[in-house]
Structure formats: C-alpha cells, structure tokens
Amino acid sequence: MTDHTYDVVVIGAGPAGESAAMATAKTGLKVAVVEDRAWVGGNCAHKGTIPSKSLRHAVKQIIRFNNGNLFRDLGDTRWLSYPRVLNAAAQVIPKQVELHTEFYIRNRVNLHIGRASFVDANTLVVDMPEGAQETISARYIVIATGSRPYHPEDVDFNHPRIYDSDSILDMKHTPRHLIIYGAGVIGSEYASIFSGLGIHVDLINNRDRLLSFLDDEISDALSYHLRDSGVTVRHSEEYETIEANDHSVTVHMQSGKRLRADAILWCNGRSGNTDKLNLEALGLKADYRGNLKVDSRYRTEVDNIFAVGDVVGWPSLASASFDQGRAVADVITGGEGQPVTGVPTGIYTLPEISSIGQTERELTAAKVPYEVGRALFKNTARGQISGEEVGMLKLLFHVDTLEILGVHCFGAEAAEIVHIGQAIMAQPGENNTIRFFLDTTFNYPTMAEAYRLAALDGMGRINRR
C-alpha cells in the first residue's frame, strides 16, 4: 500500500472539486484530487450539464432546419434518431476532458483515480481500479462527490425501458412515446429535448404548476410552449406503481389513471454521493438524500473537513459549485470564504429560462411597491432577424427608487441576457436602477436592446399613473 501526504485533498473532480483544488494549489499548497472515474470533469461533464446541453443544442439545430423557410429549398424536413443526435452531441465531452485535464497538469495537482473512503479525519483509503489500495493523508479534506439520480426502491432501474437522467444518455433506440416522471428543471429540459425530436411526451408533475420557484408569468410561458410543442403536462399526479415488460411501460397513478409508453425517464430528485465514504469513521451523518450539513463557510461538523457542490444540496448548479469551491479554498488559506448567494437560475428548456432576484409573488407578499417593464423578443430587430421571436425580458423595479428587484427572461439566449441585469443589480447606491438602461446606448440590433425596451415600458407605466 502506497502512502501520500498533502496539505489538501479533494474528493471529486467535478466543478466544485476542481475549483477548490485549483484555487488552493495556486497559493502554493500541495494538493491532490481523488476521482472514481477514469476522466476528470465529474457528472457535469459526463452525465449532466455538458452532454444534456449539447444534446439540446443539436435538437435546436434540427428544429431550426425543419422550420426554416431558407432550408426548405434544400429538401424535405429531416428525421434523425435519438442515438444519432446523441452521438453528435457527445463529441464535446472529450474536448471538455482534455481542457480540464490540462488544468491539473498546469497547476501541479496530483490526480488519484479510485474510490475514496475515510479512515479518520485526516486519512483516506483509495481503492484503485486494478484492485490495489493507497493511503492519502491531508490537513484538510474537501468532499465534492456530487450527486446521482434518486432511485426509489419500488422502481426497477435495471429494466431496459426504465431510465434515469444518467442512463438516458446511453439509450440506443428512439421511443415514439416517452413518459417523464418529475417536472423539475431536469424533467422540463428533457421534455423540451424529446418533443423537439418529434417524440410524444407525457410530463408528470407532482405539483400544481411547473417550476414554482420561477416568476408565475415565466412558469406559465414554459407550460404553454411545452404544450405547444406537443408535450402533455399532467399536474398534481403521483405514481402508485410502475410496470415494464418487453414492449412497454405502464405507470399506474394514485389518481387511478394509467399511462402507457415505450419508455419512462425518471427525473424526480437526486441523492448525494456519500454512502461509500465511510462517514461513520468521522461521526458524520448525511441526511435521507445523502446530503451533508455545512455552515456558512462550507465546513462540516468536523473542523478540517469541508463539503461543496451538489453534495450539500441547494442550489445544485454547476455555476454555484465552481464558486463554492473557491470559497472553501479561501477559508483553507486564511480568508473569510463568503457563502455563495445571488445565484441566477439557468434552465435550458426550449426556449431557455433565466432569472435573478425576486418574483412578482414574493414582492407582493412582502408588500413592496413595484412596477413591471417588459420587452417582447418579437418586437426587437435582432429577434426578427435571427428568427428568435418567442420570449420576453421582464424587469421588476421599485416604484419610488426605480431599483431593479428582479430580472426574468424567457427565450433564446436567456441565460446570457440575464447577466446584464445581474451586473446592474449588484452596483452600489443609486446605480442599480432601470435608469441605467434608459441612459445607456446599446448596440443595434442586439438582444441586449431588450433591456432598453423593457425600461421604457416600465417608465411608461410609471408616467401614466
């Protein structure tokens, strides 16, 4: 058994682990990362963000080709199988692996491939793929093991017609009809993707509206466009049992309904990857979903052990995980390590959604006097030129101070557009008002011009009072 000693060891090479490792290594500390995959990047690069968003991009290209008048001169519409589209989308994964591997080499971070488990608060045992073991010791250990799809015990995920959000990226056929159970972010994104391929989708939601954390108007827009693309959205439903045979899957609902399809995609929650860490050796215990409790500096109940990323639960976003990793590195190297807050949402449905700040429902409940400014993408020159006429930008601002309270965007490049509003909201004093958009010259034509149009709309409402 080989022994290694470091200042910092990070368990997991996803966004949180990578950023924690790189940031501490840059201060001169001796750092290592333990990863149980053969390649770096974590679930984000191999099963989550990167492959699913690449798949979405490929489907968006197909939709544009089939609906574009310019391409109709080239022939009839095209149908492409799911495996063929998936293969095209997967080409980005090795590029990501190569890019992130270079980070480890350049920053001299040692990478140990294998599964780590605790011996004590400063010691790990790593079971390597070839069967050997090595012992790693460190002053600080960061748990960044990520998460995996939640599997209820009464669903047989070994059946070839039952998929989760990881295994769906290995599906070798194209179903005509797909049931998606769970209408959270992942379920809604995959509903958009599969309906874009011409597959009939039943989206089962156990709540009374889609993505209830969004502004109601944005949630309603998503619901409308999913239905417009052929998705059947079923609210307030829970499964009773799921039966699968060689030909189909049948979901028996608690309401008495029975839904039959070619396959089912389970998207109802995720579990933290903590069950193989031997947390008992530390006196730590994960919650029922495998998540670890941390304080505002991402420290667990054991002083020298931290946890970041999906394994600590909300917000479970790659963007937040990168920042959490850096925050932990700051704490380890003597800084304050501010908690990550004010994270924008980025939901890659078709069309995509992004928002930051408060919603109308939250402002109303807090009795904040606010007004709304909207810009419809169909009224922007860039939207008309690019054919991206679906969607809008919505600004919520204080009636008296004009301070921007929320930015909500639905439509093409929403996750890019929202950052303009985010930057202005973060300005000090009186600089975070919609006046910035009235007093600033925007390139024309651009989607960013929607901010000026929304601000003009909002001020028009104020002036009409």
Side-chain angles (χ1 to χ4, degrees), residues 9-29:
V9 170
V10 181
I11 311 173
E18 178 186 289
S19 62
M22 300 307 152
T24 50
K26 288 179 187 298
T27 68
L29 296 180

Side-chain angles (χ1 to χ4, degrees), residues 47-62:
K47 293 292 183 182
T49 303
I50 297 302
S52 65
K53 277 52 178 181
S54 300
L55 178 62
R56 173 194 180 273
H57 177 72
V59 171
K60 186 177 179 181
Q61 289 181 307
I62 295 169

